[in-house]
Each structure stands twice: as C-alpha cells, then as structure tokens.
Amino acid sequence: MTTTRSLLPRPLMRGLLAVLLAVSLVGCSAAAAGLNSFQSPDGRYAFLYPTGWTRVQVSGGPQVVFHDLINSDETLSLVVSEVNPDNDLSNLGSAVAVGESLRRNVIAPEGSGRAAELVQAEERQEGGRTFYDLEYAVHLQDRDRHELATVVVDRGRLYTFAASTNETRWNKVNDLFHQVVTSFTLLV
C-alpha cells in the first residue's frame, strides 16, 4: 500500500485551508449583496429589500411599502390582515386555494379592470411555520405585470408580503424578487 504525503508542511496546509474557507464564505455572502434588512418596530417580522429602494408611507393601504427609485413601478409591500387566532395557514386552504382567493379578492377583483393568473403556488416550511409562495401574471389595461408573494399566518394575523414589477423587467429581477420574498421571516 502506498501513501501520499503533502509537499506542504502541516501548519501551511492548515493556513491554506483557512484561506479557502474564508473565500468560500465571502462568496456565499455575495448572494445577499445589494440587499438591506428591515425589521418591524415591534420586532415581529423582518425581510430583505434591494439597495436603492426607499420606503413610502401609504395611508389606508399596506403596512409597509418600498419602491425602486429608478423603476418606481417596482414595489414591495406587506399587508397584515386579521384572521381567526385559532387558524393556521392550512385552515385557510391549500397553497393553490389561498393563491386563487388572493387573485379573486385582492389582486384582480371583479370590476377592477385587472385580470390575473396564478402561475405557481408552493408550500414551504421554515422556522416551524408554513409559508405559501405564490406567483402571478397580472394583466392591466395598459401593461402586464408580474408579482411574487409569500403568505404566512401567526397569532391571528395573515401576513402577505409581495414584490411586483412590469413584465418587461421580470427576467432581470426574477431571481432578486425570489430572494427578497422568501426572506420574509417572523421573529417571535
């Protein structure tokens, strides 16, 4: 049996491994580059949003709204609705059922002049909670849009976190929007 010996002394080999590990970790954190974090003042939830986006105050609408300073029709919003405190997300239906309900009642209600199609609906488990990740193609009279959303129920609240853009920009921001929407997390 033959054995191979490293040509490098053991301390140097350890040093090289440490450098490789550090470079790998920096590469992993580059995936989150260009994103800022937001945490609610009450410490209930947090999420990432793109650098260069600004928060906009909206009265009578979503609890939190951000939009891109350059492409102002790209938005990120959080709507918090009250639900029965005994319900969890599965009590509201499957990912497809909840996605269709949001499509009919919120995104494109009858008489709104909008049409929407639920493109994809998936269930995801994270931190002991169930999230539904939803994707929509939204048709307005003058343009088409694309929207990603995630919904989760916690302590009698339904959180709907969504990112939306003009269809012409969708291919450019698709990966970024997926990263942002799935970053939504409940902290308590």
Side-chain angles (χ1 to χ4, degrees):
M1 173 186 258
T2 61
T3 59
T4 37
R5 265 182 68 87
S6 172
L7 298 175
L8 299 174
R10 189 169 252 155
L12 184 56
M13 186 65 113
R14 284 187 187 130
L16 284 173
L17 287 174
V19 168
L20 285 173
L21 180 60
V23 168
S24 296
L25 291 175
V26 168
C28 291
S29 68
L35 294 173
N36 297 319
S37 62
F38 175 86
Q39 183 174 332
S40 64
D42 63 4
R44 281 191 179 270
Y45 58 85
F47 57 84
L48 299 174
Y49 67 93
T51 300
W53 286 38
T54 187
R55 186 168 181 192
V56 180
Q57 296 298 326
V58 178
S59 59
Q63 186 162 346
V64 178
V65 176
F66 281 85
H67 76 87
D68 187 344
L69 289 174
I70 296 168
N71 299 296
S72 61
D73 67 339
E74 290 184 5
T75 61
L76 185 61
S77 63
L78 174 65
V79 175
V80 182
S81 309
E82 299 295 320
V83 294
N84 182 331
D86 296 327
N87 280 350
D88 63 14
L89 195 53
S90 63
N91 293 125
L92 300 178
S94 68
V96 171
V98 170
E100 283 296 331
S101 179
L102 285 172
R103 181 192 64 78
R104 280 189 315 276
N105 298 310
V106 178
I107 297 170
E110 191 172 318
S112 68
R114 296 185 300 261
E117 171 191 353
L118 178 62
V119 176
Q120 189 169 348
E122 295 180 349
E123 181 177 315
R124 167 175 53 96
Q125 298 293 320
E126 193 166 305
R129 293 187 172 91
T130 301
F131 290 79
Y132 291 164
D133 295 328
L134 310 167
E135 179 179 347
Y136 298 94
V138 182
H139 311 288
L140 308 172
Q141 291 176 349
D142 60 342
R143 67 190 181 283
D144 289 336
R145 295 186 61 77
H146 214 97
E147 183 167 320
L148 291 179
T150 192
V151 295
V152 62
V153 170
D154 183 60
R155 299 179 192 177
R157 293 184 177 106
L158 171 69
Y159 295 86
T160 306
F161 185 60
S164 179
T165 188
N166 195 311
E167 190 65 38
T168 58
R169 295 240 331 129
W170 174 243
N171 287 334
K172 294 176 186 158
V173 298
N174 176 353
D175 291 338
L176 174 67
F177 277 21
H178 274 93
Q179 188 175 4
V180 166
V181 168
T182 59
S183 76
F184 184 81
T185 188
L186 296 169
L187 303 172
V188 291

